[in-house]
Amino acid sequence: MTSTARRAPWNLARCAQAATAVAAAADVFRAAAVRDHVLHATAASQHRSGLVSMVFVDLMTVAVVLVLTVANRTDPGSVPLLVLAEALMITAAVLLVLVIERVTMLQGFALGDTAPAARLGQA
């Protein structure tokens, strides 16, 4: 007799967690390779930093797909959970926009820009 009751997708959750951890570790190697290329620019360091960056992007893509698949398997009756997930997603998006703005501004200062980068609302 088979059960039609929905169960929590533990295997999928563990895969998403593992992919996120591996991607975070790969980001450390990516940052080190990019730093090495910036400090000692050679064709080999450029190739290495590009390769490590591509691996990182691939791992992050897998992690994102797995997380979005943990998100789509929620019970339709769990509205509070869905509202919380959406609120967290919006918060993460806003924080990402602010991080991108800050990093771009710091890059501009480091590269010697005389004027700060244009803000999002100003065109």
Side-chain angles (χ1 to χ4, degrees), residues 14 16 24-25 28 30 34 36-37 41 51 57 59 61 68 90 92 96 98 106 109 112 114 116:
R14 295 297 180 244
V28 172
R30 183 200 59 80
V34 170
D36 180 49
H37 176 64
L51 179 64
V57 168
L59 290 171
T61 301
L68 291 176
I90 291 169
L96 179 59
L98 294 174
L106 291 173
F109 289 146
T114 55

Side-chain angles (χ1 to χ4, degrees), residues 106-123:
L106 291 173
Q107 286 174 336
F109 289 146
L111 295 172
D113 285 349
T114 55
R119 302 237 19 82
L120 283 176
Q122 302 168 351

Side-chain angles (χ1 to χ4, degrees), residues 32-69:
V34 170
R35 180 181 177 275
D36 180 49
H37 176 64
V38 169
L39 294 177
H40 311 287
T42 64
S45 69
Q46 181 180 15
H47 175 72
R48 186 173 38 258
S49 68
L51 179 64
V52 173
S53 294
M54 285 183 355
V55 169
F56 168 71
V57 168
D58 292 342
L59 290 171
M60 280 304 297
T61 301
V62 169
V64 167
V65 167
L66 288 170
V67 168
L68 291 176
T69 303

Side-chain angles (χ1 to χ4, degrees), residues 2 10 13-14 20 26 47 56 73 75 99 101 106-107 110 123:
T2 60
W10 287 108
R14 295 297 180 244
T20 302
H47 175 72
F56 168 71
R73 296 196 59 187
D75 185 12
V99 166
E101 178 75 13
L106 291 173
Q107 286 174 336

